[in-house]
PDB file of all heavy atoms in Angstrom:
ATOM      1  N   LYS A 295     -10.967 -30.209 -13.193  1.00  0.00           N
ATOM      2  CA  LYS A 295     -10.377 -30.278 -14.523  1.00  0.00           C
ATOM      3  C   LYS A 295      -8.885 -30.543 -14.368  1.00  0.00           C
ATOM      4  O   LYS A 295      -8.188 -29.811 -13.653  1.00  0.00           O
ATOM      5  CB  LYS A 295     -10.641 -28.985 -15.281  1.00  0.00           C
ATOM      6  CG  LYS A 295     -12.123 -28.744 -15.543  1.00  0.00           C
ATOM      7  CD  LYS A 295     -12.380 -27.398 -16.156  1.00  0.00           C
ATOM      8  CE  LYS A 295     -13.888 -27.165 -16.307  1.00  0.00           C
ATOM      9  NZ  LYS A 295     -14.193 -25.799 -16.744  1.00  0.00           N
ATOM     10  N   PRO A 296      -8.374 -31.598 -15.008  1.00  0.00           N
ATOM     11  CA  PRO A 296      -6.979 -32.020 -14.789  1.00  0.00           C
ATOM     12  C   PRO A 296      -5.952 -30.912 -15.022  1.00  0.00           C
ATOM     13  O   PRO A 296      -4.955 -30.840 -14.309  1.00  0.00           O
ATOM     14  CB  PRO A 296      -6.787 -33.168 -15.782  1.00  0.00           C
ATOM     15  CG  PRO A 296      -8.157 -33.672 -16.054  1.00  0.00           C
ATOM     16  CD  PRO A 296      -9.077 -32.496 -15.928  1.00  0.00           C
ATOM     17  N   GLU A 297      -6.216 -30.033 -15.963  1.00  0.00           N
ATOM     18  CA  GLU A 297      -5.258 -28.969 -16.250  1.00  0.00           C
ATOM     19  C   GLU A 297      -5.178 -27.920 -15.141  1.00  0.00           C
ATOM     20  O   GLU A 297      -4.276 -27.080 -15.127  1.00  0.00           O
ATOM     21  CB  GLU A 297      -5.575 -28.293 -17.595  1.00  0.00           C
ATOM     22  CG  GLU A 297      -6.885 -27.539 -17.643  1.00  0.00           C
ATOM     23  CD  GLU A 297      -8.099 -28.371 -18.045  1.00  0.00           C
ATOM     24  OE1 GLU A 297      -8.070 -29.625 -17.930  1.00  0.00           O
ATOM     25  OE2 GLU A 297      -9.110 -27.764 -18.470  1.00  0.00           O
ATOM     26  N   HIS A 298      -6.101 -27.972 -14.183  1.00  0.00           N
ATOM     27  CA  HIS A 298      -6.116 -27.009 -13.079  1.00  0.00           C
ATOM     28  C   HIS A 298      -5.675 -27.615 -11.747  1.00  0.00           C
ATOM     29  O   HIS A 298      -5.719 -26.940 -10.720  1.00  0.00           O
ATOM     30  CB  HIS A 298      -7.517 -26.411 -12.923  1.00  0.00           C
ATOM     31  CG  HIS A 298      -7.943 -25.592 -14.080  1.00  0.00           C
ATOM     32  ND1 HIS A 298      -7.327 -24.422 -14.437  1.00  0.00           N
ATOM     33  CD2 HIS A 298      -8.937 -25.794 -14.986  1.00  0.00           C
ATOM     34  CE1 HIS A 298      -7.923 -23.924 -15.498  1.00  0.00           C
ATOM     35  NE2 HIS A 298      -8.897 -24.742 -15.860  1.00  0.00           N
ATOM     36  N   GLU A 299      -5.246 -28.859 -11.768  1.00  0.00           N
ATOM     37  CA  GLU A 299      -4.919 -29.541 -10.516  1.00  0.00           C
ATOM     38  C   GLU A 299      -3.878 -28.777  -9.692  1.00  0.00           C
ATOM     39  O   GLU A 299      -4.075 -28.539  -8.499  1.00  0.00           O
ATOM     40  CB  GLU A 299      -4.432 -30.963 -10.795  1.00  0.00           C
ATOM     41  CG  GLU A 299      -4.169 -31.749  -9.534  1.00  0.00           C
ATOM     42  CD  GLU A 299      -3.805 -33.201  -9.792  1.00  0.00           C
ATOM     43  OE1 GLU A 299      -4.500 -33.855 -10.591  1.00  0.00           O
ATOM     44  OE2 GLU A 299      -2.830 -33.666  -9.181  1.00  0.00           O
ATOM     45  N   GLU A 300      -2.787 -28.408 -10.292  1.00  0.00           N
ATOM     46  CA  GLU A 300      -1.723 -27.724  -9.544  1.00  0.00           C
ATOM     47  C   GLU A 300      -2.184 -26.361  -9.033  1.00  0.00           C
ATOM     48  O   GLU A 300      -1.927 -26.006  -7.880  1.00  0.00           O
ATOM     49  CB  GLU A 300      -0.456 -27.590 -10.392  1.00  0.00           C
ATOM     50  CG  GLU A 300       0.759 -27.172  -9.586  1.00  0.00           C
ATOM     51  CD  GLU A 300       1.078 -28.104  -8.409  1.00  0.00           C
ATOM     52  OE1 GLU A 300       0.891 -29.330  -8.519  1.00  0.00           O
ATOM     53  OE2 GLU A 300       1.512 -27.579  -7.356  1.00  0.00           O
ATOM     54  N   ALA A 301      -2.877 -25.600  -9.863  1.00  0.00           N
ATOM     55  CA  ALA A 301      -3.368 -24.280  -9.441  1.00  0.00           C
ATOM     56  C   ALA A 301      -4.359 -24.419  -8.284  1.00  0.00           C
ATOM     57  O   ALA A 301      -4.361 -23.595  -7.359  1.00  0.00           O
ATOM     58  CB  ALA A 301      -4.015 -23.550 -10.609  1.00  0.00           C
ATOM     59  N   TYR A 302      -5.186 -25.451  -8.308  1.00  0.00           N
ATOM     60  CA  TYR A 302      -6.159 -25.675  -7.243  1.00  0.00           C
ATOM     61  C   TYR A 302      -5.442 -25.981  -5.930  1.00  0.00           C
ATOM     62  O   TYR A 302      -5.799 -25.455  -4.869  1.00  0.00           O
ATOM     63  CB  TYR A 302      -7.097 -26.812  -7.636  1.00  0.00           C
ATOM     64  CG  TYR A 302      -8.352 -26.887  -6.800  1.00  0.00           C
ATOM     65  CD1 TYR A 302      -9.470 -26.130  -7.120  1.00  0.00           C
ATOM     66  CD2 TYR A 302      -8.426 -27.722  -5.688  1.00  0.00           C
ATOM     67  CE1 TYR A 302     -10.636 -26.196  -6.365  1.00  0.00           C
ATOM     68  CE2 TYR A 302      -9.581 -27.797  -4.925  1.00  0.00           C
ATOM     69  CZ  TYR A 302     -10.671 -27.028  -5.273  1.00  0.00           C
ATOM     70  OH  TYR A 302     -11.822 -27.094  -4.517  1.00  0.00           O
ATOM     71  N   LYS A 303      -4.425 -26.818  -5.993  1.00  0.00           N
ATOM     72  CA  LYS A 303      -3.656 -27.150  -4.795  1.00  0.00           C
ATOM     73  C   LYS A 303      -2.951 -25.913  -4.240  1.00  0.00           C
ATOM     74  O   LYS A 303      -2.976 -25.680  -3.024  1.00  0.00           O
ATOM     75  CB  LYS A 303      -2.619 -28.223  -5.102  1.00  0.00           C
ATOM     76  CG  LYS A 303      -3.194 -29.595  -5.339  1.00  0.00           C
ATOM     77  CD  LYS A 303      -2.046 -30.547  -5.645  1.00  0.00           C
ATOM     78  CE  LYS A 303      -2.473 -31.925  -5.981  1.00  0.00           C
ATOM     79  NZ  LYS A 303      -1.327 -32.807  -6.269  1.00  0.00           N
ATOM     80  N   VAL A 304      -2.350 -25.128  -5.122  1.00  0.00           N
ATOM     81  CA  VAL A 304      -1.659 -23.916  -4.685  1.00  0.00           C
ATOM     82  C   VAL A 304      -2.651 -22.952  -4.033  1.00  0.00           C
ATOM     83  O   VAL A 304      -2.384 -22.397  -2.961  1.00  0.00           O
ATOM     84  CB  VAL A 304      -0.914 -23.245  -5.864  1.00  0.00           C
ATOM     85  CG1 VAL A 304      -0.437 -21.848  -5.500  1.00  0.00           C
ATOM     86  CG2 VAL A 304       0.259 -24.108  -6.304  1.00  0.00           C
ATOM     87  N   ALA A 305      -3.787 -22.750  -4.647  1.00  0.00           N
ATOM     88  CA  ALA A 305      -4.797 -21.849  -4.089  1.00  0.00           C
ATOM     89  C   ALA A 305      -5.230 -22.307  -2.696  1.00  0.00           C
ATOM     90  O   ALA A 305      -5.381 -21.497  -1.779  1.00  0.00           O
ATOM     91  CB  ALA A 305      -6.001 -21.757  -5.016  1.00  0.00           C
ATOM     92  N   HIS A 306      -5.397 -23.599  -2.517  1.00  0.00           N
ATOM     93  CA  HIS A 306      -5.852 -24.109  -1.227  1.00  0.00           C
ATOM     94  C   HIS A 306      -4.742 -24.178  -0.182  1.00  0.00           C
ATOM     95  O   HIS A 306      -5.027 -24.419   0.996  1.00  0.00           O
ATOM     96  CB  HIS A 306      -6.560 -25.448  -1.403  1.00  0.00           C
ATOM     97  CG  HIS A 306      -7.963 -25.269  -1.875  1.00  0.00           C
ATOM     98  ND1 HIS A 306      -8.258 -25.027  -3.210  1.00  0.00           N
ATOM     99  CD2 HIS A 306      -9.137 -25.241  -1.202  1.00  0.00           C
ATOM    100  CE1 HIS A 306      -9.570 -24.875  -3.325  1.00  0.00           C
ATOM    101  NE2 HIS A 306     -10.125 -24.992  -2.124  1.00  0.00           N
ATOM    102  N   SER A 307      -3.525 -23.921  -0.581  1.00  0.00           N
ATOM    103  CA  SER A 307      -2.457 -23.819   0.412  1.00  0.00           C
ATOM    104  C   SER A 307      -2.458 -22.440   1.066  1.00  0.00           C
ATOM    105  O   SER A 307      -1.748 -22.217   2.045  1.00  0.00           O
ATOM    106  CB  SER A 307      -1.095 -24.102  -0.228  1.00  0.00           C
ATOM    107  OG  SER A 307      -0.710 -23.042  -1.084  1.00  0.00           O
ATOM    108  N   ALA A 308      -3.253 -21.514   0.534  1.00  0.00           N
ATOM    109  CA  ALA A 308      -3.317 -20.146   1.067  1.00  0.00           C
ATOM    110  C   ALA A 308      -4.733 -19.584   0.912  1.00  0.00           C
ATOM    111  O   ALA A 308      -4.935 -18.555   0.276  1.00  0.00           O
ATOM    112  CB  ALA A 308      -2.303 -19.269   0.356  1.00  0.00           C
ATOM    113  N   VAL A 309      -5.708 -20.265   1.488  1.00  0.00           N
ATOM    114  CA  VAL A 309      -7.097 -19.789   1.430  1.00  0.00           C
ATOM    115  C   VAL A 309      -7.176 -18.462   2.183  1.00  0.00           C
ATOM    116  O   VAL A 309      -6.641 -18.344   3.293  1.00  0.00           O
ATOM    117  CB  VAL A 309      -8.057 -20.828   2.044  1.00  0.00           C
ATOM    118  CG1 VAL A 309      -9.491 -20.307   2.058  1.00  0.00           C
ATOM    119  CG2 VAL A 309      -7.972 -22.150   1.281  1.00  0.00           C
ATOM    120  N   PRO A 310      -7.803 -17.444   1.601  1.00  0.00           N
ATOM    121  CA  PRO A 310      -7.900 -16.141   2.278  1.00  0.00           C
ATOM    122  C   PRO A 310      -8.540 -16.254   3.666  1.00  0.00           C
ATOM    123  O   PRO A 310      -9.509 -16.994   3.868  1.00  0.00           O
ATOM    124  CB  PRO A 310      -8.778 -15.310   1.337  1.00  0.00           C
ATOM    125  CG  PRO A 310      -8.593 -15.946  -0.010  1.00  0.00           C
ATOM    126  CD  PRO A 310      -8.428 -17.413   0.265  1.00  0.00           C
ATOM    127  N   ALA A 311      -7.997 -15.497   4.597  1.00  0.00           N
ATOM    128  CA  ALA A 311      -8.494 -15.516   5.979  1.00  0.00           C
ATOM    129  C   ALA A 311      -9.980 -15.185   6.051  1.00  0.00           C
ATOM    130  O   ALA A 311     -10.711 -15.769   6.863  1.00  0.00           O
ATOM    131  CB  ALA A 311      -7.686 -14.551   6.836  1.00  0.00           C
ATOM    132  N   ALA A 312     -10.442 -14.269   5.214  1.00  0.00           N
ATOM    133  CA  ALA A 312     -11.870 -13.900   5.237  1.00  0.00           C
ATOM    134  C   ALA A 312     -12.753 -15.076   4.830  1.00  0.00           C
ATOM    135  O   ALA A 312     -13.861 -15.236   5.363  1.00  0.00           O
ATOM    136  CB  ALA A 312     -12.117 -12.703   4.315  1.00  0.00           C
ATOM    137  N   VAL A 313     -12.287 -15.903   3.921  1.00  0.00           N
ATOM    138  CA  VAL A 313     -13.047 -17.083   3.500  1.00  0.00           C
ATOM    139  C   VAL A 313     -13.080 -18.107   4.633  1.00  0.00           C
ATOM    140  O   VAL A 313     -14.137 -18.664   4.949  1.00  0.00           O
ATOM    141  CB  VAL A 313     -12.449 -17.681   2.211  1.00  0.00           C
ATOM    142  CG1 VAL A 313     -13.103 -19.014   1.861  1.00  0.00           C
ATOM    143  CG2 VAL A 313     -12.581 -16.694   1.055  1.00  0.00           C
ATOM    144  N   LEU A 314     -11.942 -18.338   5.256  1.00  0.00           N
ATOM    145  CA  LEU A 314     -11.889 -19.268   6.381  1.00  0.00           C
ATOM    146  C   LEU A 314     -12.776 -18.795   7.535  1.00  0.00           C
ATOM    147  O   LEU A 314     -13.466 -19.600   8.163  1.00  0.00           O
ATOM    148  CB  LEU A 314     -10.441 -19.437   6.858  1.00  0.00           C
ATOM    149  CG  LEU A 314      -9.491 -20.076   5.851  1.00  0.00           C
ATOM    150  CD1 LEU A 314      -8.069 -20.053   6.394  1.00  0.00           C
ATOM    151  CD2 LEU A 314      -9.930 -21.485   5.491  1.00  0.00           C
ATOM    152  N   SER A 315     -12.771 -17.500   7.783  1.00  0.00           N
ATOM    153  CA  SER A 315     -13.615 -16.938   8.829  1.00  0.00           C
ATOM    154  C   SER A 315     -15.094 -17.153   8.525  1.00  0.00           C
ATOM    155  O   SER A 315     -15.881 -17.516   9.412  1.00  0.00           O
ATOM    156  CB  SER A 315     -13.322 -15.447   8.994  1.00  0.00           C
ATOM    157  OG  SER A 315     -14.195 -14.874   9.938  1.00  0.00           O
ATOM    158  N   MET A 316     -15.490 -16.946   7.283  1.00  0.00           N
ATOM    159  CA  MET A 316     -16.893 -17.137   6.904  1.00  0.00           C
ATOM    160  C   MET A 316     -17.296 -18.603   7.054  1.00  0.00           C
ATOM    161  O   MET A 316     -18.415 -18.900   7.499  1.00  0.00           O
ATOM    162  CB  MET A 316     -17.138 -16.653   5.472  1.00  0.00           C
ATOM    163  CG  MET A 316     -18.578 -16.761   5.017  1.00  0.00           C
ATOM    164  SD  MET A 316     -19.840 -15.967   6.072  1.00  0.00           S
ATOM    165  CE  MET A 316     -19.254 -14.287   6.165  1.00  0.00           C
ATOM    166  N   ILE A 317     -16.420 -19.508   6.714  1.00  0.00           N
ATOM    167  CA  ILE A 317     -16.713 -20.933   6.897  1.00  0.00           C
ATOM    168  C   ILE A 317     -17.057 -21.193   8.361  1.00  0.00           C
ATOM    169  O   ILE A 317     -18.054 -21.846   8.679  1.00  0.00           O
ATOM    170  CB  ILE A 317     -15.527 -21.798   6.424  1.00  0.00           C
ATOM    171  CG1 ILE A 317     -15.433 -21.763   4.887  1.00  0.00           C
ATOM    172  CG2 ILE A 317     -15.649 -23.231   6.932  1.00  0.00           C
ATOM    173  CD1 ILE A 317     -14.162 -22.361   4.325  1.00  0.00           C
ATOM    174  N   ARG A 318     -16.259 -20.671   9.265  1.00  0.00           N
ATOM    175  CA  ARG A 318     -16.508 -20.860  10.702  1.00  0.00           C
ATOM    176  C   ARG A 318     -17.789 -20.147  11.139  1.00  0.00           C
ATOM    177  O   ARG A 318     -18.573 -20.696  11.912  1.00  0.00           O
ATOM    178  CB  ARG A 318     -15.316 -20.387  11.524  1.00  0.00           C
ATOM    179  CG  ARG A 318     -14.112 -21.320  11.347  1.00  0.00           C
ATOM    180  CD  ARG A 318     -13.042 -21.126  12.390  1.00  0.00           C
ATOM    181  NE  ARG A 318     -13.434 -21.451  13.741  1.00  0.00           N
ATOM    182  CZ  ARG A 318     -13.559 -22.679  14.261  1.00  0.00           C
ATOM    183  NH1 ARG A 318     -13.346 -23.726  13.502  1.00  0.00           N
ATOM    184  NH2 ARG A 318     -13.903 -22.853  15.516  1.00  0.00           N
ATOM    185  N   GLN A 319     -17.996 -18.919  10.645  1.00  0.00           N
ATOM    186  CA  GLN A 319     -19.216 -18.177  11.003  1.00  0.00           C
ATOM    187  C   GLN A 319     -20.473 -18.923  10.567  1.00  0.00           C
ATOM    188  O   GLN A 319     -21.539 -18.760  11.165  1.00  0.00           O
ATOM    189  CB  GLN A 319     -19.202 -16.789  10.354  1.00  0.00           C
ATOM    190  CG  GLN A 319     -18.219 -15.814  10.960  1.00  0.00           C
ATOM    191  CD  GLN A 319     -18.203 -14.518  10.179  1.00  0.00           C
ATOM    192  OE1 GLN A 319     -19.238 -13.946   9.872  1.00  0.00           O
ATOM    193  NE2 GLN A 319     -17.002 -14.044   9.847  1.00  0.00           N
ATOM    194  N   CYS A 320     -20.347 -19.723   9.529  1.00  0.00           N
ATOM    195  CA  CYS A 320     -21.492 -20.476   9.004  1.00  0.00           C
ATOM    196  C   CYS A 320     -21.578 -21.872   9.610  1.00  0.00           C
ATOM    197  O   CYS A 320     -22.230 -22.765   9.057  1.00  0.00           O
ATOM    198  CB  CYS A 320     -21.424 -20.519   7.483  1.00  0.00           C
ATOM    199  SG  CYS A 320     -21.705 -18.892   6.750  1.00  0.00           S
ATOM    200  N   ASN A 321     -20.912 -22.052  10.752  1.00  0.00           N
ATOM    201  CA  ASN A 321     -21.052 -23.269  11.563  1.00  0.00           C
ATOM    202  C   ASN A 321     -20.475 -24.529  10.934  1.00  0.00           C
ATOM    203  O   ASN A 321     -20.944 -25.639  11.210  1.00  0.00           O
ATOM    204  CB  ASN A 321     -22.524 -23.478  11.957  1.00  0.00           C
ATOM    205  CG  ASN A 321     -23.021 -22.361  12.832  1.00  0.00           C
ATOM    206  OD1 ASN A 321     -22.449 -22.109  13.888  1.00  0.00           O
ATOM    207  ND2 ASN A 321     -24.042 -21.660  12.381  1.00  0.00           N
ATOM    208  N   ILE A 322     -19.447 -24.376  10.106  1.00  0.00           N
ATOM    209  CA  ILE A 322     -18.769 -25.523   9.516  1.00  0.00           C
ATOM    210  C   ILE A 322     -17.471 -25.742  10.273  1.00  0.00           C
ATOM    211  O   ILE A 322     -16.703 -24.815  10.504  1.00  0.00           O
ATOM    212  CB  ILE A 322     -18.513 -25.295   8.019  1.00  0.00           C
ATOM    213  CG1 ILE A 322     -19.855 -25.301   7.273  1.00  0.00           C
ATOM    214  CG2 ILE A 322     -17.573 -26.358   7.452  1.00  0.00           C
ATOM    215  CD1 ILE A 322     -19.752 -24.961   5.811  1.00  0.00           C
ATOM    216  N   ARG A 323     -17.241 -26.992  10.643  1.00  0.00           N
ATOM    217  CA  ARG A 323     -16.034 -27.379  11.364  1.00  0.00           C
ATOM    218  C   ARG A 323     -15.447 -28.624  10.704  1.00  0.00           C
ATOM    219  O   ARG A 323     -16.119 -29.329   9.964  1.00  0.00           O
ATOM    220  CB  ARG A 323     -16.337 -27.698  12.830  1.00  0.00           C
ATOM    221  CG  ARG A 323     -16.991 -26.573  13.609  1.00  0.00           C
ATOM    222  CD  ARG A 323     -16.047 -25.375  13.800  1.00  0.00           C
ATOM    223  NE  ARG A 323     -16.614 -24.357  14.666  1.00  0.00           N
ATOM    224  CZ  ARG A 323     -17.428 -23.380  14.275  1.00  0.00           C
ATOM    225  NH1 ARG A 323     -17.803 -23.292  13.020  1.00  0.00           N
ATOM    226  NH2 ARG A 323     -17.881 -22.483  15.130  1.00  0.00           N
ATOM    227  N   ASN A 324     -14.191 -28.890  11.022  1.00  0.00           N
ATOM    228  CA  ASN A 324     -13.525 -30.119  10.592  1.00  0.00           C
ATOM    229  C   ASN A 324     -13.679 -30.335   9.074  1.00  0.00           C
ATOM    230  O   ASN A 324     -14.089 -31.396   8.619  1.00  0.00           O
ATOM    231  CB  ASN A 324     -14.072 -31.315  11.372  1.00  0.00           C
ATOM    232  CG  ASN A 324     -13.164 -32.514  11.307  1.00  0.00           C
ATOM    233  OD1 ASN A 324     -11.968 -32.394  11.038  1.00  0.00           O
ATOM    234  ND2 ASN A 324     -13.708 -33.687  11.554  1.00  0.00           N
ATOM    235  N   TYR A 325     -13.328 -29.311   8.317  1.00  0.00           N
ATOM    236  CA  TYR A 325     -13.526 -29.292   6.860  1.00  0.00           C
ATOM    237  C   TYR A 325     -12.256 -29.751   6.155  1.00  0.00           C
ATOM    238  O   TYR A 325     -11.181 -29.210   6.404  1.00  0.00           O
ATOM    239  CB  TYR A 325     -13.897 -27.870   6.441  1.00  0.00           C
ATOM    240  CG  TYR A 325     -14.302 -27.663   4.998  1.00  0.00           C
ATOM    241  CD1 TYR A 325     -14.719 -28.703   4.189  1.00  0.00           C
ATOM    242  CD2 TYR A 325     -14.279 -26.397   4.448  1.00  0.00           C
ATOM    243  CE1 TYR A 325     -15.104 -28.494   2.877  1.00  0.00           C
ATOM    244  CE2 TYR A 325     -14.658 -26.174   3.135  1.00  0.00           C
ATOM    245  CZ  TYR A 325     -15.068 -27.220   2.359  1.00  0.00           C
ATOM    246  OH  TYR A 325     -15.453 -27.002   1.059  1.00  0.00           O
ATOM    247  N   SER A 326     -12.383 -30.730   5.303  1.00  0.00           N
ATOM    248  CA  SER A 326     -11.260 -31.251   4.520  1.00  0.00           C
ATOM    249  C   SER A 326     -11.693 -31.443   3.079  1.00  0.00           C
ATOM    250  O   SER A 326     -12.862 -31.748   2.805  1.00  0.00           O
ATOM    251  CB  SER A 326     -10.800 -32.622   5.055  1.00  0.00           C
ATOM    252  OG  SER A 326     -10.364 -32.527   6.378  1.00  0.00           O
TER     253      SER A 326
END
């Protein structure tokens, strides 16, 4: 949604470590 573009970018500049860890635990690599 265009009105959320900036908030989405800001959120993804600081993804919680627990979320990043789960991504790796679930065998996902090279995620963009």
Side-chain angles (χ1 to χ4, degrees):
K295 296 174 184 173
E297 66 272 21
H298 295 295
E299 184 175 313
E300 193 56 36
Y302 196 86
K303 288 179 183 180
V304 168
H306 280 80
S307 71
V309 177
V313 172
L314 296 174
S315 176
M316 182 54 56
I317 289 169
R318 290 195 65 77
Q319 288 175 48
C320 292
N321 296 303
I322 292 175
R323 303 293 186 275
N324 198 22
Y325 187 19
S326 299

